[in-house]
Amino acid sequence: MILFIAFEQVPMWVMLIIFCLCYLSFRIFMEWRYNRETREYLLSFSLLIYFLIAIIIGAILNVF
């Protein structure tokens, strides 16, 4: 979050994509590594795709 404050010229949608990628990628990896039998990592992966699509559509429509 401190880096986001330091780089004020970066558009909000870019910061949201970076945040979602970092957070959900780590979560997907940990679920895949330590809790593979429940297959929750597939749900988290689909959530990541959904968030990325929603952020890109928001950026196209100038929501941010």
Side-chain angles (χ1 to χ4, degrees):
M1 294 312 259
I2 294 171
L3 290 175
F4 291 155
I5 294 170
F7 299 110
E8 291 183 14
Q9 289 128 356
V10 178
M12 179 61 75
W13 62 273
V14 174
M15 291 190 285
L16 283 171
I17 288 177
I18 292 170
F19 176 75
C20 285
L21 280 175
C22 291
Y23 172 70
L24 287 172
S25 296
F26 179 74
R27 181 176 172 174
I28 291 168
F29 174 73
M30 288 303 201
E31 287 175 353
W32 175 75
R33 179 79 169 116
Y34 296 109
N35 203 5
R36 198 177 295 185
E37 58 274 352
T38 62
R39 299 173 60 107
E40 286 185 30
Y41 61 92
L42 296 175
L43 180 62
S44 296
F45 182 73
S46 63
L47 187 67
L48 173 67
I49 299 298
Y50 173 75
F51 281 155
L52 291 177
I53 290 171
I55 291 169
I56 290 170
I57 289 173
I60 291 171
L61 297 176
N62 290 326
V63 173
F64 303 109

